[in-house]
Amino acid sequence: MRSMLKDALILFAITVIAGLLLGAVYQITKDPIAAQEALAASNACREVFADAAGFEQDEAFASDGPTSVYNIQYPNESVDDCLKAVDSNGELLGYVLTVTTHEGYGGDIRFMMGIRNDGTLNGISLLSISETAGLGMQAEDVLVPQFAGKNAVEFKYTKDGAMNDSEIDAISGATITTNAVTNGVNAGLSYFHSVLNPEEGGN
Protein backbone atom coordinates (compact mmCIF):
# COMPACT_ATOMS: atom_id res chain seq x y z
CA MET A 1 0.00 0.00 0.00
CA ARG A 2 2.81 2.38 0.93
CA SER A 3 4.60 1.50 -2.30
CA MET A 4 1.48 2.31 -4.36
CA LEU A 5 1.02 5.61 -2.54
CA LYS A 6 4.68 6.47 -3.05
CA ASP A 7 4.47 5.67 -6.76
CA ALA A 8 1.31 7.77 -7.08
CA LEU A 9 2.97 10.73 -5.39
CA ILE A 10 6.00 10.43 -7.64
CA LEU A 11 3.81 10.36 -10.74
CA PHE A 12 1.86 13.35 -9.45
CA ALA A 13 5.07 15.28 -8.82
CA ILE A 14 6.37 14.46 -12.28
CA THR A 15 3.09 15.61 -13.84
CA VAL A 16 3.15 18.89 -11.91
CA ILE A 17 6.80 19.57 -12.80
CA ALA A 18 6.19 18.75 -16.48
CA GLY A 19 3.19 21.07 -16.54
CA LEU A 20 5.18 23.89 -14.98
CA LEU A 21 8.03 23.39 -17.45
CA LEU A 22 5.65 23.39 -20.41
CA GLY A 23 4.02 26.55 -19.10
CA ALA A 24 7.41 28.21 -18.74
CA VAL A 25 8.45 27.21 -22.26
CA TYR A 26 5.18 28.59 -23.64
CA GLN A 27 5.67 31.92 -21.88
CA ILE A 28 9.22 32.16 -23.22
CA THR A 29 8.37 31.26 -26.80
CA LYS A 30 4.94 32.83 -27.34
CA ASP A 31 6.22 36.36 -28.02
CA PRO A 32 8.93 35.30 -30.53
CA ILE A 33 6.41 33.03 -32.29
CA ALA A 34 3.86 35.86 -32.45
CA ALA A 35 6.53 38.19 -33.82
CA GLN A 36 7.48 35.67 -36.52
CA GLU A 37 3.83 35.20 -37.49
CA ALA A 38 3.32 38.97 -37.71
CA LEU A 39 6.45 39.30 -39.88
CA ALA A 40 5.26 36.48 -42.15
CA ALA A 41 1.87 38.16 -42.52
CA SER A 42 3.49 41.52 -43.28
CA ASN A 43 5.74 39.96 -45.92
CA ALA A 44 2.76 38.14 -47.44
CA CYS A 45 0.85 41.45 -47.70
CA ARG A 46 3.76 42.98 -49.58
CA GLU A 47 4.00 39.92 -51.80
CA VAL A 48 0.36 40.07 -52.91
CA PHE A 49 0.14 43.89 -53.08
CA ALA A 50 3.64 45.16 -53.84
CA ASP A 51 2.55 48.64 -54.98
CA ALA A 52 0.56 49.45 -51.84
CA ALA A 53 2.02 52.11 -49.53
CA GLY A 54 0.26 50.61 -46.52
CA PHE A 55 -2.45 48.33 -45.19
CA GLU A 56 -5.37 49.20 -42.94
CA GLN A 57 -7.85 47.01 -41.11
CA ASP A 58 -11.23 46.98 -42.85
CA GLU A 59 -13.53 48.46 -40.22
CA ALA A 60 -16.65 46.61 -41.35
CA PHE A 61 -14.90 43.26 -41.18
CA ALA A 62 -13.35 44.10 -37.81
CA SER A 63 -16.74 45.01 -36.33
CA ASP A 64 -18.37 41.84 -37.65
CA GLY A 65 -15.49 39.67 -36.57
CA PRO A 66 -14.11 36.76 -38.59
CA THR A 67 -17.48 35.30 -39.53
CA SER A 68 -15.58 32.72 -41.27
CA VAL A 69 -17.71 30.58 -43.50
CA TYR A 70 -19.22 33.23 -45.71
CA ASN A 71 -20.66 31.62 -48.80
CA ILE A 72 -22.72 28.42 -48.77
CA GLN A 73 -20.91 27.48 -51.97
CA TYR A 74 -17.73 27.15 -49.93
CA PRO A 75 -18.69 25.70 -46.53
CA ASN A 76 -15.15 24.46 -45.90
CA GLU A 77 -13.44 27.78 -46.52
CA SER A 78 -13.17 30.86 -44.33
CA VAL A 79 -12.26 34.51 -44.78
CA ASP A 80 -10.39 35.24 -41.56
CA ASP A 81 -9.21 38.80 -42.07
CA CYS A 82 -9.59 41.72 -44.47
CA LEU A 83 -7.14 44.59 -44.93
CA LYS A 84 -7.42 47.60 -47.20
CA ALA A 85 -4.43 48.19 -49.47
CA VAL A 86 -3.90 51.95 -49.91
CA ASP A 87 -1.54 54.19 -51.85
CA SER A 88 0.59 57.02 -50.42
CA ASN A 89 -2.45 59.33 -50.48
CA GLY A 90 -4.62 56.88 -48.59
CA GLU A 91 -6.62 55.98 -51.71
CA LEU A 92 -8.00 52.45 -51.84
CA LEU A 93 -6.18 50.17 -54.29
CA GLY A 94 -7.89 46.95 -53.25
CA TYR A 95 -7.93 44.40 -50.47
CA VAL A 96 -5.80 41.71 -48.89
CA LEU A 97 -7.81 38.77 -47.58
CA THR A 98 -6.59 36.03 -45.27
CA VAL A 99 -8.28 32.77 -46.22
CA THR A 100 -8.27 29.29 -44.69
CA THR A 101 -9.42 26.22 -46.54
CA HIS A 102 -10.18 23.11 -44.47
CA GLU A 103 -10.05 20.79 -47.48
CA GLY A 104 -6.31 20.13 -47.61
CA TYR A 105 -5.11 16.53 -47.67
CA GLY A 106 -2.82 17.17 -44.70
CA GLY A 107 -5.00 19.70 -42.86
CA ASP A 108 -5.82 23.38 -43.14
CA ILE A 109 -4.16 25.53 -45.81
CA ARG A 110 -3.94 29.23 -45.01
CA PHE A 111 -2.95 31.99 -47.41
CA MET A 112 -3.29 35.67 -48.24
CA MET A 113 -4.66 36.97 -51.52
CA GLY A 114 -4.51 40.47 -52.97
CA ILE A 115 -7.43 41.71 -55.06
CA ARG A 116 -7.44 45.02 -56.91
CA ASN A 117 -10.54 47.24 -57.15
CA ASP A 118 -11.30 45.92 -60.63
CA GLY A 119 -11.29 42.33 -59.40
CA THR A 120 -7.83 41.43 -60.68
CA LEU A 121 -6.12 38.92 -58.43
CA ASN A 122 -2.57 40.12 -57.80
CA GLY A 123 -1.68 36.70 -56.47
CA ILE A 124 -1.69 34.53 -53.37
CA SER A 125 0.93 33.86 -50.69
CA LEU A 126 0.85 30.68 -48.63
CA LEU A 127 1.07 31.16 -44.85
CA SER A 128 0.74 27.54 -43.73
CA ILE A 129 0.45 24.22 -45.55
CA SER A 130 1.15 20.61 -44.52
CA GLU A 131 0.52 18.55 -47.61
CA THR A 132 2.34 15.46 -48.86
CA ALA A 133 5.99 16.04 -49.76
CA GLY A 134 6.58 15.88 -53.50
CA LEU A 135 2.86 16.14 -54.23
CA GLY A 136 0.64 18.69 -52.45
CA MET A 137 3.67 20.55 -51.16
CA GLN A 138 4.34 21.58 -54.77
CA ALA A 139 1.51 24.11 -54.35
CA GLU A 140 4.03 26.91 -53.79
CA ASP A 141 5.76 26.26 -57.10
CA VAL A 142 2.88 24.97 -59.24
CA LEU A 143 -0.33 26.65 -58.04
CA VAL A 144 0.69 30.00 -56.56
CA PRO A 145 2.19 31.50 -59.76
CA GLN A 146 -0.89 30.60 -61.82
CA PHE A 147 -3.24 32.96 -59.95
CA ALA A 148 -1.15 36.13 -60.39
CA GLY A 149 -2.58 38.82 -62.64
CA LYS A 150 -5.79 36.94 -63.42
CA ASN A 151 -9.24 38.53 -63.46
CA ALA A 152 -11.89 35.85 -62.99
CA VAL A 153 -14.99 35.63 -60.85
CA GLU A 154 -14.29 31.94 -60.23
CA PHE A 155 -11.44 29.56 -60.99
CA LYS A 156 -11.63 25.92 -62.03
CA TYR A 157 -8.77 23.46 -62.16
CA THR A 158 -8.06 21.16 -65.07
CA LYS A 159 -5.81 18.18 -65.71
CA ASP A 160 -5.73 18.81 -69.46
CA GLY A 161 -3.91 22.15 -69.57
CA ALA A 162 -5.37 25.56 -68.78
CA MET A 163 -6.97 27.21 -71.81
CA ASN A 164 -8.00 30.57 -70.31
CA ASP A 165 -7.48 32.84 -67.28
CA SER A 166 -10.18 31.12 -65.25
CA GLU A 167 -8.49 27.71 -65.45
CA ILE A 168 -5.67 26.44 -63.25
CA ASP A 169 -3.44 23.48 -64.06
CA ALA A 170 -3.79 20.89 -61.30
CA ILE A 171 -0.77 19.53 -59.47
CA SER A 172 -0.11 16.07 -60.89
CA GLY A 173 -1.12 13.46 -58.30
CA ALA A 174 -2.45 16.09 -55.87
CA THR A 175 -6.00 16.85 -56.91
CA ILE A 176 -7.15 17.28 -53.30
CA THR A 177 -4.61 20.03 -52.65
CA THR A 178 -5.40 21.71 -55.97
CA ASN A 179 -9.12 21.62 -55.20
CA ALA A 180 -8.57 23.02 -51.69
CA VAL A 181 -6.49 25.99 -52.84
CA THR A 182 -8.81 26.71 -55.76
CA ASN A 183 -11.88 26.66 -53.51
CA GLY A 184 -10.09 28.92 -51.03
CA VAL A 185 -9.32 31.46 -53.74
CA ASN A 186 -12.91 31.26 -55.02
CA ALA A 187 -14.26 31.85 -51.50
CA GLY A 188 -12.11 34.98 -51.23
CA LEU A 189 -13.27 36.21 -54.63
CA SER A 190 -16.89 35.55 -53.67
CA TYR A 191 -16.40 37.63 -50.51
CA PHE A 192 -14.82 40.43 -52.53
CA HIS A 193 -17.54 40.59 -55.19
CA SER A 194 -20.48 40.07 -52.85
CA VAL A 195 -19.43 42.02 -49.75
CA LEU A 196 -16.64 44.47 -50.56
CA ASN A 197 -17.76 45.23 -54.11
CA PRO A 198 -15.82 48.51 -54.42
CA GLU A 199 -16.98 49.28 -57.97
CA GLU A 200 -20.60 49.35 -56.83
CA GLY A 201 -20.22 51.32 -53.63
CA GLY A 202 -18.88 48.71 -51.25
CA ASN A 203 -17.23 49.73 -47.97
Side-chain angles (χ1 to χ4, degrees), residues 132-157:
T132 305
L135 293 173
M137 287 303 287
Q138 295 183 76
E140 182 75 56
D141 297 322
V142 178
L143 295 182
V144 170
Q146 295 189 65
F147 290 103
K150 304 288 181 65
N151 191 322
V153 174
E154 183 180 69
F155 288 95
K156 294 181 179 179
Y157 68 87

Side-chain angles (χ1 to χ4, degrees), residues 50-85:
D51 59 330
F55 302 92
E56 303 171 356
Q57 182 68 55
D58 180 64
E59 298 84 359
F61 187 93
S63 63
D64 292 340
T67 52
S68 43
V69 178
Y70 164 68
N71 194 309
I72 58 173
Q73 279 186 281
Y74 308 104
N76 297 307
E77 337 304 329
S78 62
V79 177
D80 304 316
D81 198 11
C82 177
L83 300 175
K84 293 179 178 180

Side-chain angles (χ1 to χ4, degrees), residues 105-185:
Y105 184 81
D108 291 352
I109 300 173
R110 196 162 186 254
F111 60 89
M112 282 184 164
M113 55 190 290
I115 311 172
R116 306 195 78 84
N117 287 338
D118 66 355
T120 299
L121 180 60
N122 281 346
I124 69 172
S125 178
L126 297 177
L127 296 174
S128 62
I129 182 171
S130 301
E131 301 296 270
T132 305
L135 293 173
M137 287 303 287
Q138 295 183 76
E140 182 75 56
D141 297 322
V142 178
L143 295 182
V144 170
Q146 295 189 65
F147 290 103
K150 304 288 181 65
N151 191 322
V153 174
E154 183 180 69
F155 288 95
K156 294 181 179 179
Y157 68 87
T158 176
K159 299 179 182 180
D160 303 318
M163 300 296 290
N164 54 62
D165 278 359
S166 65
E167 290 186 335
I168 298 297
D169 287 322
I171 302 172
S172 179
T175 304
I176 293 176
T177 304
T178 303
N179 181 67
V181 173
T182 303
N183 281 347
V185 170

